[in-house]
Amino acid sequence: EEAFKLGIEKPAIASLRSKDIDVLVAGFRLCENLTSAPSDDVQVMFDSGILDVLVPLLTHDRNCIKKRALRTLSNLMAGNSSQVATILETEAILIIKSIIENEDTQIVVEAAHCIANLFFSAEGEQMKLLLEKYKLLEVMMELLATKNQEILIPVLEALENLLRTGKWIAEEQLSNKENPYIKYIEELDGLKALEELQKHESDEVYQKVYKIIETFFFKEDNLSLIHISEPTRQAEISYAVFCLKKKKK
């Protein structure tokens, strides 16, 4: 807050226009710190035109700049719905999709964090836009096939945020108590992908997958189809609905 009172955001954003890599890196260090502030403070960055400078840098020819641009954008995407709306007016989402399809793993990791924060902050029609116009659920399903934990964790967080929003929608719409996003995931073989990830060597990945299945796909009326004892992770058991496996302590 004190930094914003000093007006430091203006020279910070201006430094991102530099052609000098050292100046750019220094500017990004400052912008990353400023954009990690509460959303009310970060609004100053939006008002000062940071997106006009930042979005073109997502396609910079230096990976170190791309990574820092994505980290800064990820911070901005963690803001409020009004700020998300501003981001959606840019080409940022299309560029992120291109990055995921074409860039090196470490760049994709940063892009995955952008998606996680986006699904945390998006509301209502914004969520619909992310799914129907930008097809980000398809992107997430493709990323679930990776073995890279650094990519999987933010993608699973994005998926959990999406399903949590769908659960809230279902509870608000008393006439339709089904989570609307479960259908999207089922149509893309998302449950199969989650089942496979229960075999991942990372305990953190396993725990996140288990939580998603247990919270959003476990139904009492399907209890007879699910093994509810304590199998080890090595046991490969397949079920009609999904495989919900608990790790033995």
Side-chain angles (χ1 to χ4, degrees), residues 64-79:
C64 64
I65 301 302
K66 285 180 186 175
K67 288 174 69 173
R68 290 192 175 276
L70 286 165
R71 288 174 188 173
T72 303
L73 181 62
S74 178
N75 287 346
L76 294 174
M77 286 178 165

Side-chain angles (χ1 to χ4, degrees), residues 109-238:
V109 168
E110 303 297 340
H113 281 285
C114 286
I115 290 177
N117 281 344
L118 191 58
F119 275 91
F120 175 79
S121 303
E123 296 180 0
E125 288 300 311
Q126 295 172 345
M127 195 72 79
K128 185 177 180 181
L129 196 66
L130 297 178
L131 297 177
E132 297 182 2
K133 178 180 178 180
Y134 293 109
K135 307 294 183 182
L136 286 187
L137 185 57
E138 284 87 340
V139 173
M140 287 193 286
M141 291 299 103
E142 290 176 7
L143 289 176
L144 288 183
T146 183
K147 299 297 184 182
N148 190 301
Q149 179 181 346
E150 290 183 282
I151 294 174
L152 285 171
I153 295 301
V155 171
L156 289 169
E157 289 173 352
L159 189 61
E160 183 179 358
N161 287 330
L162 172 66
L163 287 166
R164 185 170 287 110
T165 299
K167 184 178 181 181
W168 178 83
I169 291 172
E171 290 172 350
E172 289 294 307
Q173 297 176 356
L174 299 180
S175 60
N176 181 10
K177 295 186 178 181
E178 291 295 322
N179 187 324
Y181 300 134
I182 286 179
K183 181 180 178 181
Y184 282 93
I185 294 169
E186 290 175 339
E187 290 175 349
L188 296 170
D189 291 328
L191 285 178
K192 182 178 179 180
L194 291 171
E195 177 181 340
E196 286 299 312
L197 281 175
Q198 288 185 101
K199 305 171 186 176
H200 197 279
E201 61 185 9
S202 164
D203 284 344
E204 187 176 2
V205 169
Y206 168 81
Q207 293 295 340
K208 284 188 177 295
V209 171
Y210 182 88
K211 181 182 177 183
I212 289 172
I213 292 175
E214 184 180 43
T215 303
F216 301 106
F217 294 101
F218 186 85
K219 296 181 180 180
E220 291 296 331
D221 56 353
N222 288 325
L223 189 62
S224 61
L225 297 176
I226 300 168
H227 193 63
I228 58 174
S229 65
E230 297 284 335
T232 65
R233 289 186 61 184
Q234 286 71 37
E236 296 186 7
I237 307 173
S238 181

